[in-house]
Amino acid sequence: MIGFKLRGRPVQMFNPRAVVSPKERATRHVLSRFGSFVRRTARSSIRKRKRVSGSGDPPSSHEGGLRRLLLFAFDMAAQSVVVGPLLYRSGVAELLEEGGQAVRRGKRVSYEPRPFMGPAYQENLPKVPSLWRDSIK
């Protein structure tokens, strides 16, 4: 029979939660910061003014509703971040982003694309590597 005894320092077993937890914490932190940057860029691109913006430019905010409803949320289960407007006037935000047609007050209305989320995402995408640098501690 072979046996051994450990004396002195207590034996430390491998703790996978100690490794996974910093990774999840860093993922949540980095993606939340990225979502915050995209939201801030999108909000600042929407100017508050009375006149209508030009086609291809970010939309104008006449009442401030679209700017207020831009939010971001980190999804822990999917390990992703979602950035965009809440449901705003039955899909107007999507029509502004991509363009299209809708029926308003019984009339068919055509929307020219006035993207604001896509350019905000593209503008902040180069920041992602620097956000990940030294993020897991």
Side-chain angles (χ1 to χ4, degrees):
M1 180 173 178
I2 301 174
F4 62 94
K5 292 183 178 180
L6 298 174
R7 295 185 181 166
R9 300 176 62 191
V11 177
Q12 295 184 355
M13 302 297 287
F14 176 70
N15 185 0
R17 293 190 72 183
V19 175
V20 173
S21 180
K23 179 188 148 250
E24 289 177 353
R25 192 176 327 127
T27 301
R28 182 177 54 233
H29 181 74
V30 167
L31 291 181
S32 295
R33 286 188 67 196
F34 179 71
S36 171
F37 291 157
V38 171
R39 179 185 65 174
R40 184 179 57 199
T41 303
R43 273 185 177 171
S44 63
S45 71
I46 300 170
R47 293 181 53 198
K48 188 169 184 172
R49 59 185 171 197
K50 299 249 182 211
R51 74 176 181 88
V52 178
S53 66
S55 178
D57 295 333
S60 298
S61 178
H62 308 294
E63 300 169 356
L66 183 59
R67 291 173 67 174
R68 272 194 318 269
L69 295 176
L70 283 177
L71 301 174
F72 73 93
F74 175 72
D75 185 1
M76 185 64 116
Q79 297 284 305
S80 66
V81 65
V82 179
V83 187
L86 291 177
L87 186 59
Y88 179 70
R89 292 190 180 177
S90 62
V92 170
E94 184 179 350
L95 286 170
L96 288 172
E97 181 74 22
E98 299 172 357
Q101 294 183 347
V103 177
R104 302 279 180 226
R105 296 179 187 159
K107 295 181 181 177
R108 180 166 293 279
V109 180
S110 179
Y111 287 85
E112 296 292 325
R114 291 176 170 81
F116 58 100
M117 292 307 301
Y121 174 79
Q122 292 297 328
E123 184 178 328
N124 288 293
L125 202 52
K127 295 178 182 175
V128 171
S130 65
L131 291 174
W132 277 109
R133 188 174 304 124
D134 298 331
S135 63
I136 299 176
K137 297 176 182 171

